[in-house]
Amino acid sequence: MNLIFGAWHYNNNYSVDLSLQKMYNGLRKLPHQGHAFKTTLEAGFGHLSSGSTFNDQPVYMPENELLFVWQGRIDNISQLTKKLGLDHEARTSYSSDFVLLQAYRKWGRNCINHLRGEWSFAAFDGQTQELFIAQSPTGYTALYYYHDNSGFYFSSSIKGILQLPNYSKQLNEVHFMRQLTLWGRENGAYDTFYSNVFSLPPAHTIIIKNRTVKVEKYWNPQITEKRTYKKTQHYADEIMELFVAAVQSRICGDKSVASTLSGGLDSSAVSYTAADLLKRQNTTLTTFSHVPLFASEILQDIEKEKSVLDETPFIHDIVNASGNIDSILLNSANYSVLNGMIDFLDIYSAPAHGACNAYWLLDIYRSAAQKGVEVLLKGEGGNGSISFAGAPHLLPVSISAFIHNPFSFFKSRIAKPVVQTFFRNYLNKRNHKRSSLRKYAFNVFAQPARLDQHGITMDFSAIDDIQRPSPDDIQQNKELFLNLYNVRSAIGAASGQYYGVELRDPTIDQDLIEYFFSIPNEAFFDKHFNNRMLVKQMMRGKIPDRVLFEKRKGLQSADIVYRVKAQASEISAAIEDIKNSTAAGYYIDIQNLSSTWQLYLRQPYVEPYQMQNLLKALQFALFLHTNFD
């Protein structure tokens, strides 16, 4: 894994070399084979590399006073060599470092519109006294920055920023409450859990000039020209071609490749396709899957009626259908839920919404690293591309569809939208209490005083009192997914950096996403109004029908309640520990959390979402106790 970091000092009161060294101290425990600094009078960049070419970066060209550093992967080197007028016959000998630098020298900032892949770079122009930083539109990338009167600082890992001698760690209280309660998460896209430390989302650039920071988004796939075909199979054929190319670009090279395989549609499509491509190279694909430890216990759960609690049979189906997969099933028997949450805090330097999933995700990454895996494929972006659910109430009215499928037509086009629009509040109160945002805020044990302080209780009450119709624009649904994926991108980047395993997701490929935004809502449905049909058409005849047409979704960490109860002594000790935390007690209702935990231990059955909320609150409390007491 490669990382970049840098500092630009506005005066001589601070040493650039000292800032770089302090930032490196925060990064040094991450796996890497070498690091290098390059400085000018006022600015300096640093680079960590897991490869053998770490001395090639950063680059300084004195003739035009350009300081340059980058990290990531460029997928379209062959096309770029043509555009740049380089010797096309020698294209295989050009490194990504060289091609990207030449692209920047030729096109300047506009080079970002010519690149494909997953990357970030920084360029400091000493002549114009301007710093330009950019991130690729998609992928597992991250970049954090801090700005004060002394200068501007950036790093691929927030750990580098937190070590700066001129930064004092403080909690960003508003962001903390947003993430804890899911209140207004659409706001504060650049915020982190630390005050005055910001995150640069994918598809964004920063320009720093005259001590002014300007952040802009440069990629807007929603404006892609729309296409309309009479047969949905045409969409499936075209996006399949893009999908195969996306997988191919992520497995090429001399790095060892593996994949995650949950048994769901997206990871199955990625793993099957990668295995098929690797078969041509006489290489077997290794897959890593998390499976329940308490497999027999969850057979009694009421959740099995609406969710697939054990996807092991589906995993076996994919393995058998491929014939080129070496499957590794992990039940994380020796890795506790609490240790997973604590390790995650060390890796990400922040808590996460899905705290209960940390242990098995990290177990997969850790196991892959131990097996010598360098690239791990994932498919978590599929919900926003190949397996997008679509919106049935936005489908165009079709007399033919009504004649051939009157029941499906009535259910999807009339009954469901009416229920969603006019009876949502009633259903929330009677049958779906977990969907009430106000109840959720209290179920994650937020201190009532903090909820009142920020107006969260009032905001959620207002939301619950109004009808919330389904979105009337399918593009809004698509954009929402991209916004939510930004957090996954940052978490994936931090996890890859920590374990030295590069995470890559073909389902979030830039070309694939642009195509996804260009096709209509009806491309995701068949004539019976069944959704997610695009991926099913793509993979028909490859992935077994039992996997393709399973209507229930898999439930992640389905045995979490049984697992946590078996590890009760660890959780109890952690709760006792945070009772002594002033910071945790200020934001989290520790007494309520503790009494609820004791109640759950006595109850014969606890719904998984209840335990998930408790674990989330516990991880948020541990974060506060570790960093702000």
Side-chain angles (χ1 to χ4, degrees):
M1 293 297 299
N2 297 333
L3 289 87
I4 61 175
F5 54 100
W8 177 13
H9 287 170
Y10 299 147
N11 51 57
N12 296 325
N13 295 335
Y14 294 90
S15 164
V16 174
D17 289 302
L18 176 61
S19 293
L20 293 179
Q21 185 60 50
K22 289 290 186 179
M23 296 175 81
Y24 173 67
N25 289 343
L27 306 171
R28 67 189 314 152
K29 76 173 185 177
L30 300 177
H32 62 285
Q33 293 185 4
H35 74 282
F37 301 157
K38 193 80 71 173
T39 62
T40 64
L41 183 63
E42 65 271 89
F45 291 166
H47 184 265
L48 267 69
S49 175
S50 60
S52 59
T53 60
F54 61 89
N55 287 324
D56 293 343
Q57 285 202 70
V59 174
Y60 180 66
M61 291 176 287
E63 65 274 14
N64 49 12
E65 299 182 40
L66 177 65
L67 187 62
F68 191 87
V69 68
W70 90 288
Q71 67 85 30
R73 187 188 77 254
I74 304 298
D75 291 336
N76 61 331
I77 291 181
S78 179
Q79 293 90 332
L80 286 174
T81 56
K82 289 183 178 180
K83 291 182 179 180
L84 292 169
L86 300 174
D87 183 359
H88 190 60
E89 296 299 322
R91 64 186 183 278
T92 56
S93 64
Y94 293 127
S95 67
S96 296
D97 308 51
F98 176 78
V99 173
L100 179 55
L101 181 57
Q102 299 309 310
Y104 180 79
R105 296 183 70 181
K106 179 178 178 65
W107 296 303
R109 300 177 195 164
N110 193 47
C111 73
I112 57 179
N113 297 311
H114 296 270
L115 306 176
R116 286 293 187 269
E118 298 175 19
W119 46 266
S120 57
F121 71 82
F124 177 73
D125 189 326
Q127 294 178 346
T128 63
Q129 290 291 290
E130 180 178 287
L131 175 61
F132 178 71
I133 302 173
Q135 272 220 103
S136 59
T138 63
Y140 291 110
T141 59
L143 198 139
Y144 302 89
Y145 61 96
Y146 169 68
H147 185 231
D148 64 13
N149 291 331
S150 71
F152 183 91
Y153 309 85
F154 69 90
S155 174
S156 299
S157 169
I158 200 170
K159 298 179 185 299
I161 300 294
L162 299 180
Q163 291 297 314
L164 285 169
N166 52 312
Y167 177 71
S168 178
K169 188 189 296 185
Q170 293 181 330
L171 179 69
N172 183 339
E173 183 173 302
V174 173
H175 185 76
F176 180 91
M177 295 304 297
R178 280 176 178 154
Q179 298 304 314
L180 175 65
T181 64
L182 306 185
W183 161 65
R185 284 197 301 170
E186 66 276 10
N187 301 314
Y190 309 110
D191 288 344
T192 70
F193 283 86
Y194 303 91
S195 291
N196 300 317
V197 177
F198 302 96
S199 172
L200 182 70
H204 281 67
T205 63
I206 307 178
I207 299 174
I208 304 94
K209 189 176 179 65
N210 298 326
R211 302 193 181 191
T212 300
V213 178
K214 183 179 180 181
V215 180
E216 289 186 335
K217 184 178 182 180
Y218 67 88
W219 181 67
N220 297 287
Q222 63 270 25
I223 63 175
T224 304
E225 184 178 351
K226 304 303 181 287
R227 65 189 77 212
T228 304
Y229 298 142
K230 291 183 178 180
K231 295 184 178 180
T232 58
Q233 185 61 44
H234 290 166
Y235 300 114
D237 292 341
E238 289 186 347
I239 204 168
M240 183 62 179
E241 184 177 345
L242 291 172
F243 177 64
V244 171
V247 176
Q248 179 66 66
S249 69
R250 285 158 177 78
I251 65 174
C252 64
D254 56 359
K255 293 185 177 182
S256 58
V257 180
S259 179
T260 59
L261 177 57
S262 70
L265 287 176
D266 302 317
S267 67
S268 296
V270 171
S271 297
Y272 183 96
T273 304
D276 189 51
L277 292 170
L278 289 172
K279 187 186 300 183
R280 304 168 192 178
Q281 305 173 20
N282 296 317
T283 302
T284 300
L285 177 72
T286 299
T287 61
F288 294 86
S289 308
H290 171 71
V291 296
L293 177 61
F294 296 87
S296 58
E297 286 82 350
I298 61 176
L299 293 178
Q300 312 304 317
D301 281 5
I302 60 175
E303 294 286 336
K304 68 180 180 181
E305 301 301 324
K306 51 189 175 184
S307 303
V308 180
L309 304 185
D310 185 356
E311 295 182 279
T312 304
F314 295 152
I315 295 169
H316 291 320
D317 285 350
I318 300 301
V319 171
N320 293 333
S322 167
N324 193 44
I325 291 177
D326 178 15
S327 174
I328 297 178
L329 305 180
L330 302 171
N331 62 20
S332 306
N334 299 316
Y335 193 29
S336 72
V337 174
L338 179 65
N339 284 336
M341 293 195 300
I342 293 173
D343 287 346
F344 182 88
L345 290 176
D346 182 37
I347 292 168
Y348 189 49
S349 301
H353 172 66
C356 64
N357 295 319
Y359 76 94
W360 65 263
L361 276 171
L362 299 186
D363 194 22
I364 286 178
Y365 300 152
R366 181 178 62 178
S367 299
Q370 291 172 348
K371 291 285 186 180
V373 172
E374 296 172 284
V375 171
L376 186 66
L377 302 179
K378 301 197 69 178
E380 62 180 337
N383 287 339
S385 60
I386 60 174
S387 68
F388 185 65
H393 69 286
L394 296 180
L395 290 171
V397 175
S398 170
I399 300 300
S400 175
F402 172 75
I403 293 174
H404 289 91
N405 304 285
F407 176 76
S408 296
F409 183 91
F410 177 82
K411 178 182 176 182
S412 300
R413 299 304 312 281
I414 300 175
K416 189 173 181 179
V418 167
V419 168
Q420 287 180 335
T421 302
F422 297 105
F423 297 104
R424 183 187 298 269
N425 291 335
Y426 175 78
L427 292 173
N428 283 346
K429 294 175 182 177
R430 293 294 302 274
N431 300 319
H432 299 286
K433 293 182 180 180
R434 73 184 69 179
S435 64
S436 167
L437 292 174
R438 186 173 185 274
K439 289 185 174 66
Y440 181 86
F442 286 97
N443 286 339
V444 290
F445 307 97
Q447 277 286 13
R450 302 289 79 75
L451 297 175
D452 293 339
Q453 175 187 345
H454 294 286
I456 299 174
T457 305
M458 185 179 300
D459 285 353
F460 283 163
S461 296
I463 292 173
D464 286 343
D465 288 340
I466 63 174
Q467 295 175 345
R468 290 171 289 173
S470 301
D472 57 3
D473 183 357
I474 195 64
Q475 298 296 69
Q476 293 178 4
N477 286 17
K478 295 178 179 180
E479 289 181 51
L480 177 62
F481 172 83
L482 280 183
N483 293 335
L484 293 176
Y485 192 86
N486 291 345
V487 176
R488 298 183 183 183
S489 175
I491 291 175
S495 301
Q497 292 162 3
Y498 188 87
Y499 290 104
V501 177
E502 186 179 348
L503 306 186
R504 300 178 180 178
D505 187 351
T507 65
I508 201 73
D509 179 82
Q510 182 176 344
D511 290 336
L512 198 67
I513 294 297
E514 289 175 356
Y515 187 90
F516 162 68
F517 271 89
S518 76
I519 60 181
N521 182 41
E522 53 265 32
F524 301 95
F525 296 87
D526 65 8
K527 63 183 179 180
H528 300 287
F529 301 98
N530 295 310
N531 66 357
R532 301 184 189 276
M533 288 307 299
L534 191 59
V535 68
K536 295 170 185 177
Q537 288 175 281
M538 289 168 54
M539 304 307 296
R540 189 187 296 272
K542 301 178 177 67
I543 292 177
D545 286 352
R546 180 165 71 155
V547 177
L548 284 180
F549 298 103
E550 172 60 57
K551 293 184 178 298
R552 298 170 299 165
K553 291 184 179 181
L555 180 64
Q556 294 179 329
S557 195
D559 63 347
I560 187 65
V561 175
Y562 302 99
R563 192 181 291 265
V564 168
K565 286 190 174 184
Q567 301 161 4
S569 60
E570 286 189 11
I571 302 295
S572 295
I575 293 176
E576 287 300 312
D577 187 35
I578 61 174
K579 285 181 179 179
N580 300 317
S581 169
T582 302
Y586 186 76
Y587 296 97
I588 307 293
D589 189 344
I590 305 298
Q591 187 57 48
N592 186 14
L593 188 152
S594 178
S595 60
T596 302
W597 167 245
Q598 295 301 321
L599 176 65
Y600 288 170
L601 288 178
R602 295 191 300 269
Q603 287 180 344
Y605 177 75
V606 178
E607 291 195 60
Y609 86 93
Q610 293 178 310
M611 191 65 77
Q612 291 165 6
N613 290 346
L614 185 143
L615 292 172
K616 176 181 179 180
L618 177 57
Q619 189 191 47
F620 273 63
L622 290 169
F623 166 72
L624 293 169
H625 185 33
T626 302
N627 291 278
F628 299 103
D629 272 331

